[in-house]
Amino acid sequence: MPCHGDNPERIVHIEDRKFRYADFCQQCGKLQSRYSVLKFASIGQSVLGKPIWCVRIGKGSRQVHVNAAVHANEWITAALLLRFLEDYAAALEDEDPKSGQTTTRRQAEAWYSDYTLWAVPMVNPDGVDLSQNGADHCGPYRSRLLEWNGQSPDFTRWKANIRGVDLNDQFPAFWEVERERRGIGGPSPQDYSGPAPLSEPEASALAVLTRGVPFEHVVSLHSQGKEIYWNYRDLEPAEAESMAARLAAAGRYRAVKLEGSDAGYKDWFIQEFRRPGFTVEVGEGVNPLPPEDFEEIYLDVHAILAEALSL
Ligand SMILES: [Zn+2]
């Protein structure tokens, strides 16, 4: 039975409490055939060869990037970002607004003319599947994954990619410092930085995209805590703090100045480009967040991303 808040007209949804790569691709296919404003392209492949999809929308000169599901057990963020894209496209192309439609046509038209949004909803597809399906379908990695997971078949808390590398510790921004701080010497469910910066194809694909497009600012969706991180070693531009305050106010989240963390995507973006980068920790609870929370969290995410396209 569909739970309260589900809308049968909606393409993007969580079914049977799961949102795996196959679900994501199937819903992307439906979005692609329904909405011509959504442009799909692969930016690379995961370790197991899954295309990593980027969805572009808009014709504005201001380039903005949003990514999600960098961490495996935060897969709800992939569905949240894809829903945002659906609502945005529906506001532009559907004749009648759907019930529960959050984006207005006027809002969508303004975003569309001012911005080009590049969204990568599922950065870590192998990890997303591992955390939901377990290791049985991971071919040659199965026995190693069980070993790295302490012989437990329960991968629901897994954050890393399929090689046990934490993709948000992979970026070349004081990577060695982060590695020392974490003190994890090899593949692990979380916090292993990998053998070298950008050693993993998922992190590398994100870096290549980011170097190839002049993004004004970037947003990385994680879970959980209802917090927004906006600074990095005093390298962020002056406006980052007030922008974070606006994003936080929109979602009723807290803007938090963070110390003692390196090698994340937003850290690297701020260091490399000296432009604003934000990590948004959506929802509250224990990862993976329960699918029942999806519609409620979506309202926060919608408000925050709407603000990110109005900064
Ligand atoms: Zn995370």
Side-chain angles (χ1 to χ4, degrees), residues 82-163:
L82 200 62
R83 169 65 72 80
F84 180 80
L85 295 166
E86 177 182 22
D87 270 352
Y88 181 173
L92 290 172
E93 293 195 316
D94 281 354
E95 288 296 318
D96 302 308
K98 293 172 189 166
S99 67
Q101 173 77 43
T102 43
T103 306
T104 65
R105 177 160 297 191
R106 195 170 157 194
Q107 195 174 32
E109 283 172 350
W111 297 343
Y112 195 81
S113 64
D114 291 348
Y115 291 91
T116 300
L117 171 63
W118 305 67
V120 181
M122 196 179 281
V123 173
N124 182 9
D126 298 341
V128 164
D129 278 5
L130 174 63
S131 77
Q132 296 180 81
N133 292 339
D136 282 350
H137 304 284
C138 297
Y141 285 93
R142 185 182 172 279
S143 59
R144 274 173 284 174
L145 285 163
L146 285 167
E147 184 190 322
W148 299 335
N149 202 38
Q151 296 302 334
S152 168
D154 180 0
F155 286 83
T156 52
R157 301 285 170 86
W158 189 271
K159 290 174 76 174
N161 77 346
I162 205 81
R163 291 200 289 227

Side-chain angles (χ1 to χ4, degrees), residues 71 74 159 222-223:
H71 283 143
E74 302 171 9
K159 290 174 76 174
H222 287 252
S223 68

Side-chain angles (χ1 to χ4, degrees), residues 32-108:
Q32 185 173 28
S33 46
R34 178 146 174 185
Y35 298 116
S36 63
V37 289
L38 297 175
K39 312 292 186 193
F40 290 77
S42 166
I43 60 162
Q45 289 191 351
S46 68
V47 169
L48 294 179
K50 297 181 181 78
I52 297 168
W53 293 105
C54 178
V55 192
R56 187 168 47 82
I57 178 170
K59 57 180 177 59
S61 58
R62 305 179 65 181
Q63 316 288 328
V64 171
H65 170 61
V66 182
N67 63 54
V70 171
H71 283 143
N73 67 342
E74 302 171 9
W75 50 263
I76 198 170
T77 57
L80 290 162
L81 180 51
L82 200 62
R83 169 65 72 80
F84 180 80
L85 295 166
E86 177 182 22
D87 270 352
Y88 181 173
L92 290 172
E93 293 195 316
D94 281 354
E95 288 296 318
D96 302 308
K98 293 172 189 166
S99 67
Q101 173 77 43
T102 43
T103 306
T104 65
R105 177 160 297 191
R106 195 170 157 194
Q107 195 174 32

Side-chain angles (χ1 to χ4, degrees), residues 21-305:
Y21 183 68
D23 305 313
F24 169 68
C25 287
Q26 188 187 41
Q27 294 176 28
C28 283
K30 288 182 179 170
L31 291 172
Q32 185 173 28
S33 46
R34 178 146 174 185
Y35 298 116
S36 63
V37 289
L38 297 175
K39 312 292 186 193
F40 290 77
S42 166
I43 60 162
Q45 289 191 351
S46 68
V47 169
L48 294 179
K50 297 181 181 78
I52 297 168
W53 293 105
C54 178
V55 192
R56 187 168 47 82
I57 178 170
K59 57 180 177 59
S61 58
R62 305 179 65 181
Q63 316 288 328
V64 171
H65 170 61
V66 182
N67 63 54
V70 171
H71 283 143
N73 67 342
E74 302 171 9
W75 50 263
I76 198 170
T77 57
L80 290 162
L81 180 51
L82 200 62
R83 169 65 72 80
F84 180 80
L85 295 166
E86 177 182 22
D87 270 352
Y88 181 173
L92 290 172
E93 293 195 316
D94 281 354
E95 288 296 318
D96 302 308
K98 293 172 189 166
S99 67
Q101 173 77 43
T102 43
T103 306
T104 65
R105 177 160 297 191
R106 195 170 157 194
Q107 195 174 32
E109 283 172 350
W111 297 343
Y112 195 81
S113 64
D114 291 348
Y115 291 91
T116 300
L117 171 63
W118 305 67
V120 181
M122 196 179 281
V123 173
N124 182 9
D126 298 341
V128 164
D129 278 5
L130 174 63
S131 77
Q132 296 180 81
N133 292 339
D136 282 350
H137 304 284
C138 297
Y141 285 93
R142 185 182 172 279
S143 59
R144 274 173 284 174
L145 285 163
L146 285 167
E147 184 190 322
W148 299 335
N149 202 38
Q151 296 302 334
S152 168
D154 180 0
F155 286 83
T156 52
R157 301 285 170 86
W158 189 271
K159 290 174 76 174
N161 77 346
I162 205 81
R163 291 200 289 227
V165 177
D166 192 318
L167 297 177
N168 215 36
D169 283 328
Q170 263 274 286
F171 290 86
F174 291 86
W175 177 85
E176 292 84 356
V177 172
E178 183 73 6
R179 187 179 56 172
E180 284 292 308
R181 180 188 294 120
R182 298 290 201 184
I184 307 283
S188 174
Q190 64 184 71
D191 297 342
Y192 173 51
S193 305
L198 303 181
S199 60
E200 303 310 294
E202 301 89 355
S204 172
L206 213 48
V208 169
L209 173 71
T210 306
R211 286 185 174 128
V213 183
F215 296 125
E216 277 190 12
H217 54 269
V218 300
V219 176
S220 191
L221 299 181
H222 287 252
S223 68
Q224 48 77 44
K226 296 195 173 185
E227 292 185 335
I228 299 179
Y229 309 129
W230 54 271
N231 69 302
Y232 183 61
R233 290 181 174 263
D234 296 325
L235 298 173
E236 70 282 357
E239 67 269 26
E241 184 169 13
S242 61
M243 290 169 75
R246 284 179 58 183
L247 297 175
R252 287 167 298 152
Y253 282 23
R254 291 172 296 277
V256 174
K257 187 168 188 181
L258 205 61
E259 306 289 341
S261 181
D262 293 286
Y265 174 74
K266 80 113 173 58
D267 306 331
W268 169 73
F269 181 80
I270 290 170
Q271 176 186 271
E272 183 103 349
F273 304 100
R274 307 297 167 105
R275 293 187 203 131
F278 306 97
T279 297
V280 177
E281 297 281 356
V282 310
E284 255 171 353
V286 177
N287 290 323
L289 292 174
E292 298 82 49
D293 291 1
F294 179 84
E295 300 293 339
E296 189 185 333
I297 299 171
Y298 177 66
L299 296 178
D300 302 344
V301 169
H302 180 270
I304 291 165
L305 294 184

